[in-house]
Amino acid sequence: MQINWQKEVEQRKEQLIKDTQRLLQIKSTLDEETATEEIPFGKGIKEALDFMLDLGEKDGFSVKNVDNYGAHLEMGHGEELLGILGHLDVVPEGEGWTTDPYSADIRDGRIYARGAMDDKGPTMAAYYAMKIVKDLGVDVNKRVRLILGTDEESDWRCMDHYFEKEETPTVGFVPDADFPIIYAEKGIADFTYEFNGSVHEGAEATLLSFSAGQRFNMVPEFAEAVVTSDSVEAGQWEERYSRYCEDHGLSGTFSAKEGTVTFTMDGISVHGMEPDLGVNAGLRLAEFLVTLPFIGDDERFLSFISQFCKESRGRELGVAYSDDITKDLTINYGILSYEHGGKGKIAFNMRYPVTFDFANGWSVLEKVASDHGFSIQMKTHLGPHHVDADSDLVKTLQKIYEEHTGQEAELLAIGGGTYARAIKNAVAFGPLFPGREDVAHQKDEYIIIEDMLKATAMYAQAIYDLTR
Ligand SMILES: [Zn+2]
């Protein structure tokens, strides 16, 4: 049977836009204030979930709400299950919008709203894709489920709970990232190196405190260190520091008061998945301070940083690795802190290629720690995700993408994480087309209606082709 998917979508365009607007008008941010045991993420998210379930029921899908953590709408029959994962929660709207972020105004062929692109617009596109296949009455040989998450932007408690209770799809795609197809995602782990320092005397200089950064996965944008000195040398530090900053194109300050000197450094904060796009204020400040005459644990903290943490590929730590699928392992040193006579801490986010031997990497990191009197802890770990480029799933979606866009369906690998990780045989498929501005989490977030229609047509065909 030849079906013109784009035409089927065009015929339902008005209703698709209207339903998308209605869903976007619900403020579905995580709301701890109204959260209860029964509605774990608060009233707004519950309202969005109910909206989708009502819509699904009205259109004749079988629906199931899993304890208000997640839900699904289902059609078809068969042993196998095709899962499409979207999420209804949104990040807070923030400041600076041109119009109310929950009005879902249409301007210049775009719908403007928080969640338009991430991920309520695309979720509605996937819903209409299912509806079209259902309306056409074509036979499918699998069950097809639209799985609705509600805590993607925070802690993924939704999918953890949902998949504890419900079966995992055998195959799936996720409309919550980029077109053409993301088939590989790096492993992501957070670690801390720590030691308990002791007070010592007789030093020419003492590092009272050092601090930079607050989050594992962000490059620190500011660092500060407080130093005391009994020697005359302190007078020369100001000049040395300003020369250091000038030579390296950095911006730092120096202020001295009653035997105490405060150094600050400005960096450029970016997401930790590619630290080289930013400037790590903590590393740059430590690199200077290590040249001052510290001893004992002050010196240990700074020289560990300058020896092992100076770049983003883990070379000095001994874990550098790269593969053709996901490229370089990266490390972001997100939090650096030290108190004289107290704790020294280096917290970092590591993103590693899909073929990396993680257990071995961890033992290498442990050895560096123990050799230098640090302890190491792994705080979180998400394994890598990778679907074979020659799999039926990938080949099918590539063919669909090429037919609908006339462009080559290049396979993408990323350092971030998508919902596709929840299913072994799943890839991210849209909704952001190559060359389009990425407005997720930004003010004036929008979805281009034409793109949404095209995505809907591709999703409908994907459901059809993957259930042959
Ligand atoms: Zn999302």
Side-chain angles (χ1 to χ4, degrees):
M1 187 155 97
Q2 266 298 346
I3 300 165
N4 185 334
W5 297 103
Q6 190 70 34
K7 196 177 118 228
E8 294 296 334
V9 175
E10 294 292 341
Q11 283 169 0
R12 295 162 178 84
K13 179 178 162 182
E14 297 312 317
Q15 200 56 45
L16 167 56
I17 292 171
K18 206 171 287 171
D19 283 334
T20 303
Q21 284 178 298
R22 288 168 66 204
L23 179 59
L24 290 171
Q25 283 157 1
I26 301 167
K27 183 179 172 177
S28 53
T29 48
L30 173 65
D31 179 10
E32 305 280 8
E33 297 256 296
T34 57
T36 62
E37 207 170 308
E38 206 190 319
I39 49 168
F41 311 122
K43 278 185 174 163
I45 287 173
K46 163 73 171 152
E47 197 187 326
L49 202 56
D50 287 344
F51 175 85
M52 287 306 295
L53 292 174
D54 287 348
L55 195 63
E57 222 161 23
K58 188 184 83 211
D59 285 334
F61 292 98
S62 65
V63 306
K64 183 168 182 184
N65 181 345
V66 182
D67 307 325
N68 289 318
Y69 276 82
H72 64 246
L73 314 168
E74 189 179 303
M75 60 179 260
H77 53 83
E79 266 295 291
E80 287 190 57
L81 179 63
L82 165 63
I84 307 164
L85 269 66
H87 65 92
L88 299 173
D89 59 312
V90 296
V91 294
E93 62 279 8
E95 305 286 316
W97 285 71
T98 306
T99 48
D100 177 353
Y102 300 102
S103 64
D105 279 3
I106 295 179
R107 296 194 299 275
D108 309 322
R110 301 163 169 187
I111 308 174
Y112 283 85
R114 170 58 80 228
M117 200 62 190
D118 182 17
D119 185 46
K120 292 196 277 186
T123 299
M124 190 58 82
Y127 177 78
Y128 265 77
M130 265 175 84
K131 183 171 150 59
I132 287 167
V133 175
K134 188 167 174 299
D135 287 353
L136 292 174
V138 293
D139 199 24
V140 292
N141 69 8
K142 290 184 181 68
R143 285 167 297 135
V144 182
R145 244 181 217 185
L146 176 61
I147 298 171
L148 303 165
T150 53
D151 187 37
E152 195 268 354
E153 300 293 2
S154 303
D155 294 318
W156 285 40
R157 287 167 286 180
C158 53
M159 285 299 112
D160 292 344
H161 185 91
Y162 177 88
F163 284 118
E164 255 169 44
K165 301 230 164 163
E166 295 294 321
E167 70 181 287
T168 305
T170 40
V171 59
F173 64 87
V174 175
D176 187 24
D178 297 345
F179 279 125
I181 293 162
I182 296 171
Y183 80 129
E185 302 175 20
K186 285 179 186 173
I188 307 175
D190 286 340
F191 292 97
T192 56
Y193 276 138
E194 275 180 9
F195 69 89
N196 287 309
S198 52
V199 178
H200 51 255
E201 267 150 41
E204 278 181 64
T206 302
L207 180 62
L208 289 182
S209 67
F210 184 101
S211 71
Q214 274 124 33
R215 290 172 57 188
F216 285 80
N217 64 356
M218 294 299 290
V219 172
E221 68 176 347
F222 180 75
E224 184 178 87
V226 182
V227 177
T228 57
S229 172
D230 297 331
S231 80
V232 287
E233 218 184 320
Q236 302 160 18
W237 293 351
E238 179 165 20
E239 201 202 314
R240 275 174 61 194
Y241 189 53
S242 79
R243 197 173 336 115
Y244 168 80
C245 289
E246 214 179 287
D247 288 352
H248 296 83
L250 297 165
S251 134
T253 68
F254 175 100
S255 55
K257 207 171 88 187
E258 293 158 13
T260 302
V261 175
T262 302
F263 295 89
T264 72
M265 176 68 78
D266 291 321
I268 297 171
S269 185
V270 295
H271 194 281
M273 75 176 112
E274 182 40 281
D276 290 355
L277 297 175
V279 174
N280 190 317
L283 299 185
R284 297 291 81 81
L285 179 55
E287 193 175 270
F288 172 78
L289 292 176
V290 76
T291 65
L292 303 187
F294 295 113
I295 61 168
D297 289 325
D298 298 353
E299 199 270 336
R300 178 151 72 113
F301 175 71
L302 294 168
S303 62
F304 187 89
I305 294 173
S306 65
Q307 183 180 352
F308 292 108
C309 313
K310 59 185 177 195
E311 51 76 51
S312 65
R313 264 53 187 170
R315 285 183 204 109
E316 314 302 326
L317 285 169
V319 292
Y321 186 81
S322 190
D323 69 22
D324 287 342
I325 302 165
T326 27
K327 307 292 184 270
D328 290 359
L329 176 148
T330 61
I331 292 182
N332 176 57
Y333 300 97
I335 306 166
L336 307 167
S337 69
Y338 178 76
E339 292 288 338
H340 185 76
K343 200 169 264 181
K345 176 172 148 182
I346 297 158
F348 61 99
N349 176 252
M350 179 171 98
R351 292 170 189 256
Y352 62 89
V354 294
T355 60
F356 180 68
D357 181 346
F358 180 73
N360 181 57
W362 190 5
S363 69
V364 170
L365 294 173
E366 268 176 330
K367 175 137 192 348
V368 173
S370 64
D371 285 354
H372 294 81
F374 281 71
S375 65
I376 184 168
Q377 271 199 328
M378 182 163 69
K379 298 289 183 185
T380 61
H381 181 214
L382 266 180
H385 181 68
H386 177 217
V387 174
D388 190 348
D390 293 321
S391 64
D392 190 45
L393 172 65
V394 170
K395 290 284 173 211
T396 302
L397 298 183
Q398 277 185 307
K399 180 193 68 129
I400 292 169
Y401 183 82
E402 287 172 2
E403 277 174 23
H404 283 258
T405 65
Q407 310 280 320
E408 190 196 338
E410 191 196 342
L411 298 181
L412 310 174
I414 60 169
T418 77
Y419 251 180
R421 285 173 195 262
I423 305 173
K424 201 163 179 279
N425 186 27
V427 296
F429 187 46
L432 188 68
F433 284 95
R436 296 291 199 209
E437 180 189 21
D438 185 2
V439 291
H441 299 200
Q442 311 291 311
K443 65 180 180 183
D444 287 341
E445 178 180 348
Y446 62 84
I447 190 163
I448 299 171
I449 290 172
E450 190 194 326
D451 286 0
M452 183 168 69
L453 301 181
K454 189 175 276 187
T456 307
M458 285 197 272
Y459 296 157
Q461 189 177 346
I463 293 166
Y464 182 81
D465 287 355
L466 292 170
T467 53
R468 292 302 90 208

